[in-house]
Amino acid sequence: MFVIGSGALHLKGEISEKADVVEVEIKKFPDGEKYVRVLGEGEEAIVVQSMYHPQDEHLIEVLLLGDALREKGFRRLKLVVPYLAYSRQDRVTKEGEPVSIRAIMRMLGLYYDELYVFDIHNPKTLGFFPGKAYNISPARVIAEYFREKLGEGIVMAPDKGALERARSVAEILGLEYSHFEKKRISPTEVQMTPVDVDVKGKNVLIVDDIISTGGTMIKAANLLRELGAEKIFVVATHGVFAEGAIERVSKAVDDLAVTNTIPTPVSKISIVPEILNV
Ligand code: R5P
């Protein structure tokens, strides 16, 4: 039985085609505080809540849903978080800072027994969750979306850290994979150099976890064009697009797609098949 938070309403239709979705009432009090009421009964529930903007509201809501479900006697609660906020703040870089993702994981652990996150920024941070926690790879749904378009092409990661992601997609498709060397000069500027790979005349798919300003993908795409690549496709799990990023990236490539962990105009790849498997 699924319970859908307001950060996952865009997934509700597709989930309810295949599984039971319990009704919940979610609204705000006049002072802005959240109100939730769960209308179903049962022993086990899977709550789905994505935590894009407004992140803090979505977070509070998932805690309230957990409390409401426990209050109703649900014994076993799983939480599926397509996009987990605060996951990039996974270390102290200046004295006095929190490890934000640890604080979030501990809060979620107050109510939920199991946690499923899509393509978490740093999988090691799942260890902060008190119960069982899993990182779900969107590689399968991404690979199926691009199988025909890409043909006998190459899968590239924009940097070495993203190589595993590119490898997973490439292996499903039985294709070659490689990566760029990426150096961030400022929050909005990245310098990239290609590694030894022949992309001339080939279609290329660049795979990353997040697109924010689009700077990384645009640099990579321009470089691939200079190297003679045929069609260039870009994909990321999470479309955390900054103002104007969708337009800028779309102009630079042949297809831009992200999964629907966050609803955006280019969330063309559904993660629901993976959610139904948890
Ligand atoms: C970096 O750690 C991430 O994997 C992405 O490469 C990055 O967030 C993309 O940012 P932007 O779209 O601003 O270049």
Side-chain angles (χ1 to χ4, degrees):
M1 189 182 95
F2 282 86
V3 176
I4 311 290
S6 53
L9 282 179
H10 60 291
L11 307 174
K12 188 175 174 184
E14 205 183 329
I15 293 174
S16 61
E17 279 171 21
K18 301 265 166 63
D20 287 342
V21 174
V22 73
E23 279 313 307
V24 285
E25 195 185 336
I26 300 176
K27 60 184 184 184
K28 272 188 191 175
F29 287 110
D31 63 358
E33 287 180 4
K34 276 263 157 124
Y35 169 90
V36 309
R37 185 166 169 241
V38 178
L39 301 170
E41 313 287 334
E43 288 266 307
E44 290 188 17
I46 304 169
V47 175
V48 186
Q49 175 74 314
S50 200
M51 292 188 202
Y52 53 91
H53 183 76
Q55 296 89 334
D56 296 356
E57 270 192 30
H58 290 147
L59 173 65
I60 292 293
E61 197 182 290
V62 91
L63 299 175
L64 298 181
L65 286 170
D67 201 86
L69 288 161
R70 293 291 183 200
E71 188 65 31
K72 283 205 96 172
F74 280 78
R75 284 165 188 264
R76 193 161 173 72
L77 297 183
K78 291 182 180 178
L79 174 61
V80 178
V81 185
Y83 175 68
L84 180 60
Y86 295 96
S87 57
R88 282 179 282 181
Q89 295 169 49
D90 60 353
R91 71 198 67 184
V92 171
T93 53
K94 282 194 203 117
E95 196 196 331
E97 290 177 350
V99 178
S100 305
I101 188 59
R102 181 176 58 202
I104 302 297
M105 291 292 195
R106 287 178 177 170
M107 278 188 264
L108 298 176
L110 292 171
Y111 292 106
Y112 294 93
D113 304 301
E114 289 179 28
L115 174 69
Y116 297 80
V117 182
F118 277 83
D119 208 352
I120 192 166
H121 184 67
N122 174 0
K124 286 191 187 143
T125 58
L126 290 170
F128 292 133
F129 183 75
K132 284 188 182 158
Y134 306 88
N135 189 27
I136 307 182
S137 164
R140 193 176 64 89
V141 288
I142 288 176
E144 290 319 321
Y145 177 85
F146 281 102
R147 187 182 286 280
E148 274 191 32
K149 286 174 190 268
L150 196 53
E152 291 301 301
I154 298 178
V155 184
M156 294 281 296
D159 57 42
K160 214 172 176 179
L163 190 60
E164 268 307 295
R165 204 171 282 111
R167 188 174 66 89
S168 313
V169 175
E171 281 183 357
I172 294 168
L173 296 172
L175 298 176
E176 234 187 294
Y177 62 95
S178 183
H179 70 93
F180 289 87
E181 293 292 351
K182 181 174 108 175
K183 202 171 147 195
R184 189 166 279 281
I185 303 165
S186 74
T188 51
E189 244 195 298
V190 283
Q191 191 181 59
M192 297 179 74
T193 37
V195 296
D196 194 21
V197 59
D198 187 11
V199 296
K200 207 167 173 18
K202 292 192 176 154
N203 294 336
V204 183
L205 172 65
I206 318 168
V207 186
D208 207 352
D209 59 342
I210 289 176
I211 302 177
S212 174
T213 64
T216 304
M217 288 302 201
I218 293 170
K219 272 246 160 67
N222 290 343
L223 223 55
L224 290 168
R225 289 228 190 274
E226 282 169 28
L227 294 170
E230 184 67 26
K231 289 201 167 148
I232 299 166
F233 308 114
V234 299
V235 67
T237 310
H238 312 295
V240 189
F241 294 113
E243 185 74 32
I246 294 184
E247 293 71 22
R248 286 195 299 276
V249 178
S250 299
K251 261 191 224 155
V253 303
D254 294 279
D255 190 17
L256 159 65
V258 291
T259 78
N260 56 3
T261 59
I262 300 173
T264 80
V266 290
S267 298
K268 305 170 184 173
I269 304 171
S270 183
I271 53 156
V272 169
E274 303 296 350
I275 291 179
L276 293 169
N277 278 337
V278 307

